[in-house]
Amino acid sequence: MLIANPIYDIVFKYLMEDERIARTILSALLKKDVIEVHMRRNEYSDRSRESLSIYRIDFGATIRTEEGKRQTLLIEVQKTWVDSELLRFRQYLGTQYGNKENMEGTGREAHALPMVAVYLLGHPVKGIDEPVVYVSHQVRDYNDKVVAGSIDNPFVESLTHDSIIVQIPRLHGRINNRLDKVLSIFDQTNATGKDAQTIDIDPAIYGDDADMTPILRKLLEAVSDADVRQAMDVEDEFFSVLKNKEEEIMTKDKQIAEKVVALKKVTAQLGIAEEQRAQAEEQRAQAEEQRAQAEEQRAQAEEQRAQAEEFAEHIARKSIKALLNKGMSPEDIADMMGIDIEEVRQIGYAPI
């Protein structure tokens, strides 16, 4: 059975907007009973063309603890196709820590809601082979013993948070537990076609699982949704351009590194005997010329990167125009592409 690939931002959003599905996925990730969940207002997402490389959804959730108590917490889900996004992950978390809407109480009694950061990565993290890892904070004394009474302390919870890191490329189709089954819909080893917009699954694996049935049904609906497929095409085009430019830059960086090695070798040879000094000086001049050429190539690579970003922005604007011409409302387009509605309206009136 072919379902839409949820690694695409538009498909992931289409999936997580369903409250029951969001509870199923978040319960599996947190290993807790999520009894209520809702999407929070997210005004801090990127509004630039770079927003296509990271997709974020903020949730407010109520969980039932092992003691049977109800606890409210924030869940910040960040999904990315590409690596080298550490700074932007940190910047977004900083924004959430500074958001007064994430605080409870007033004055000295004010404290932050507990937060869990979930990272769905479309690339592997070097040195970590496990597909899913949990990073938890604990309060310990000098002797490395857990401090009694520190669990759920408002002061500690306000300044630290737990994290869950999911490496999608390392899923590899194994299903050993509840989380493996839920995350199997992201397994890219089952992606089909040149564009990988669909995943081929065996529905028999899920049997009569009452929680997985709505997920599969939702992804099956997404395959035939014209707006969803068009948005997936936009993502494919953007990352195709970005990948080509990155490969060009990597090639030039390799050439530059090779010339730097040659330059160091030449520099070492400058300590030769006096009778070879003239030859060494000539080699130094050649090395300096190579350095200048390397710098020129780096500048060209940066210019190509800027052109790629400009082209990606043009594609996004053109896609918005196309959706408007097809009769899609500015509100739906803004919601689908994660941008401000006024930006959609301005693009609608501006020439391409």
Side-chain angles (χ1 to χ4, degrees):
M1 181 171 69
L2 292 181
I3 60 174
N5 191 342
I7 199 172
Y8 283 81
D9 295 347
I10 184 62
V11 179
F12 184 66
K13 178 176 183 292
Y14 189 81
L15 191 66
M16 298 301 283
E17 284 178 333
D18 187 295
E19 192 267 347
R20 179 181 178 182
I21 292 174
R23 280 194 291 110
T24 298
I25 294 177
L26 295 178
S27 292
L29 284 168
L30 296 174
K31 296 188 290 186
K32 297 181 183 296
D33 182 14
V34 178
I35 54 181
E36 293 179 8
V37 65
H38 65 273
M39 280 191 183
R40 290 168 55 85
R41 181 172 62 88
N42 185 355
E43 62 185 42
Y44 302 101
S45 295
D46 293 332
R47 300 301 186 188
S48 66
R49 56 181 172 269
E50 293 183 347
S51 61
L52 283 174
S53 61
I54 291 183
Y55 187 75
R56 303 180 174 101
I57 306 180
D58 303 337
F59 293 98
T62 301
I63 65 171
R64 182 178 288 108
T65 66
E66 294 179 357
E67 295 77 20
K69 297 180 180 180
R70 293 166 65 95
Q71 180 185 17
T72 302
L73 72 157
L74 304 176
I75 305 175
E76 312 295 341
V77 179
Q78 302 194 62
K79 184 181 73 65
T80 181
W81 286 48
V82 298
D83 52 12
S84 303
E85 298 289 2
L86 284 176
L87 179 59
R88 295 175 64 201
F89 283 149
R90 287 172 59 88
Q91 289 172 335
Y92 185 67
L93 286 174
T95 300
Q96 295 306 308
Y97 270 105
N99 184 0
K100 293 182 179 180
E101 294 182 2
N102 296 337
M103 301 289 291
E104 287 185 327
T106 58
R108 293 182 179 274
E109 299 299 322
H111 64 276
L113 291 170
M115 181 171 69
V116 178
V118 179
Y119 303 99
L120 299 175
L121 306 180
H123 61 87
V125 176
K126 186 177 181 180
I128 302 179
D129 296 329
E130 285 297 318
V132 183
V133 294
Y134 292 79
V135 183
S136 302
H137 64 275
Q138 290 184 322
V139 181
R140 298 177 178 272
D141 63 14
Y142 182 79
N143 297 313
D144 205 31
K145 294 182 179 179
V146 176
V147 177
S150 63
I151 299 176
D152 299 331
N153 181 281
F155 185 85
V156 175
E157 293 288 358
S158 296
L159 298 176
T160 57
H161 68 274
D162 293 343
S163 299
I164 304 172
I165 302 172
V166 179
Q167 302 179 79
I168 294 175
R170 297 198 191 280
L171 294 176
H172 296 313
R174 67 179 190 180
I175 299 180
N176 298 319
N177 52 50
R178 178 60 177 170
L179 179 58
D180 286 343
K181 177 180 281 190
V182 171
L183 293 181
S184 65
I185 60 173
F186 291 91
D187 188 356
Q188 297 304 295
T189 59
N190 297 322
T192 63
K194 182 179 180 181
D195 53 14
Q197 290 187 2
T198 56
I199 287 182
D200 189 6
I201 64 165
D202 180 5
I205 296 176
Y206 307 97
D208 57 353
D209 191 319
D211 290 325
M212 289 302 296
T213 299
I215 296 176
L216 301 183
R217 184 183 300 117
K218 194 74 173 178
L219 293 175
L220 193 60
E221 292 174 1
V223 172
S224 58
D225 189 302
D227 290 337
V228 171
R229 294 303 292 262
Q230 184 168 6
M232 294 170 75
D233 290 338
V234 171
E235 290 186 48
D236 280 332
E237 191 167 0
F238 174 84
F239 285 106
S240 175
V241 172
L242 185 62
K243 181 180 179 180
N244 290 339
K245 290 302 177 183
E246 288 291 343
E247 289 177 351
E248 291 180 12
I249 292 172
M250 288 177 61
T251 299
K252 290 187 179 297
D253 284 345
K254 181 180 179 180
Q255 294 173 347
I256 291 171
E258 291 173 348
K259 291 182 179 180
V260 168
V261 172
L263 176 61
K264 290 181 178 179
K265 183 177 180 180
V266 171
T267 301
Q269 291 176 346
L270 294 177
I272 59 178
E274 285 294 326
E275 59 268 23
Q276 296 177 323
R277 183 182 297 277
Q279 181 181 0
E281 288 297 329
E282 180 180 357
Q283 290 176 331
R284 184 195 294 273
Q286 293 175 350
E288 290 299 330
E289 182 179 356
Q290 290 176 338
R291 185 199 296 272
Q293 292 174 351
E295 290 299 328
E296 181 180 356
Q297 289 177 337
R298 183 184 294 275
Q300 292 174 351
E302 291 299 326
E303 181 180 358
Q304 290 175 338
R305 185 195 296 271
Q307 291 174 351
E309 292 179 349
E310 181 179 353
F311 180 64
E313 183 177 15
H314 174 74
I315 291 173
R317 292 171 64 88
K318 188 174 180 181
S319 297
I320 290 173
K321 275 280 194 180
L323 292 174
L324 286 171
N325 291 337
K326 285 188 173 182
M328 193 172 181
S329 70
E331 289 81 4
D332 290 343
I333 295 174
D335 185 55
M336 181 179 69
M337 300 190 73
I339 63 177
D340 190 85
I341 187 171
E342 291 303 322
E343 185 177 345
V344 174
R345 287 170 176 162
Q346 290 176 5
I347 292 174
Y349 294 123
I352 292 298

